Amino acid sequence: MLILYITRHGETKWNLEGRLQGKGDSPLTEKGIEGAKSTKEKLNGTKISKIYSSPSKRALDTAKYIGLENVEIEEDSRLMEMDMGGWEGRVWFEIGNEYNMFKENPESYIIPRGESLISVKERIENFFVDFLENNKEGNYLIVTHGATLKIIYMYLNNIPLSFYWDVPLPVNNSLSKIIFEGKKVKEFILGETYENYK
């Protein structure tokens, strides 16, 4: 049986301030570090064969703080957060009408100097083609980001990108679980999400 766990990186300084991070970065808070450590407890002794992590420092630090000894951490840029270009480091209300345009047409909007949801979906699809080709059984863990995790959920459940804002955002250090039957998803259990995200 092939099982994939996915966690969102720990809380960061910019998360606390409500700033968009994208491919930018900010350090984990103490809460983020403790949350990462608690992920090991959530895995409840599950033997993990390998960790795939976004190369962003907040994700890699989370992977290291999870503390799975003798488990390889493989960096994969396809698991990075959506590139938010000129929005990075800013809060939503500073973006104004551009944010409204993204809300109204998520499937076609391209963030200025950034990335589209289509682009994120393409790299996620590419990752899973390789992942399912190379891993037939065992337990694996992905450490990634909020928007990326949403797109993973949508891609594996065949949800159109136009419904992006209807999919809840997983909280930091949430733990999702996917059970595969061959290359098909048998069950996708999304981890804890924010209740008032939309």
Side-chain angles (χ1 to χ4, degrees), residues 13-194:
K13 184 174 182 292
W14 278 8
N15 284 150
L16 271 180
E17 296 172 357
R19 299 187 184 280
L20 297 167
Q21 294 184 111
K23 290 194 174 180
D25 229 334
S26 69
L28 297 179
T29 62
E30 285 301 316
K31 180 181 177 182
I33 292 170
E34 290 307 310
K37 291 177 179 177
S38 74
T39 302
K40 184 176 183 178
E41 297 172 16
K42 293 177 188 175
L43 288 168
N44 196 28
T46 301
K47 181 175 172 53
I48 299 296
S49 301
K50 182 190 284 189
I51 298 174
Y52 293 91
S53 177
S54 157
S56 294
K57 189 175 187 302
R58 63 189 183 275
L60 277 175
D61 284 349
T62 297
K64 292 169 185 174
Y65 278 118
I66 289 172
L68 298 178
E69 295 180 8
N70 302 315
V71 177
E72 177 189 358
I73 299 174
E74 181 176 316
E75 297 179 37
D76 196 311
S77 61
R78 294 172 293 185
L79 298 173
M80 288 189 75
E81 182 59 293
M82 182 177 187
D83 185 345
M84 296 188 177
W87 294 3
E88 292 180 5
R90 300 166 71 187
V91 295
W92 285 119
F93 69 80
E94 293 176 328
I95 297 165
N97 189 53
E98 289 178 357
Y99 173 54
N100 293 331
M101 291 165 63
F102 182 33
K103 290 275 284 187
E104 290 168 7
N105 298 291
E107 72 277 16
S108 59
Y109 187 77
I110 302 175
I111 295 173
R113 303 192 305 282
E115 192 174 18
S116 67
L117 290 179
I118 292 172
S119 173
V120 180
K121 182 182 177 183
E122 286 174 348
R123 54 183 166 88
I124 289 304
E125 181 175 5
N126 187 266
F127 171 84
F128 274 97
V129 167
D130 288 346
F131 174 79
L132 292 171
E133 186 63 34
N134 296 323
N135 303 296
K136 308 301 182 186
E137 60 181 15
N139 304 298
Y140 296 83
L141 174 67
I142 283 177
V143 182
T144 188
H145 308 268
T148 309
L149 209 167
K150 277 166 60 88
I151 296 297
I152 289 172
Y153 179 81
M154 296 176 73
Y155 165 65
L156 292 178
N157 286 288
N158 297 308
I159 300 172
L161 292 176
S162 56
F163 290 93
Y164 177 79
W165 294 104
D166 295 312
V167 175
L169 176 69
V171 302
N172 297 102
N173 298 123
S174 61
L175 189 65
S176 299
K177 180 179 180 181
I178 310 169
I179 302 172
F180 289 94
E181 200 166 70
K183 294 186 178 181
K184 305 265 187 196
V185 175
K186 181 179 180 182
E187 187 175 12
F188 195 131
I189 304 164
L190 192 62
E192 183 185 2
T193 60
Y194 291 103

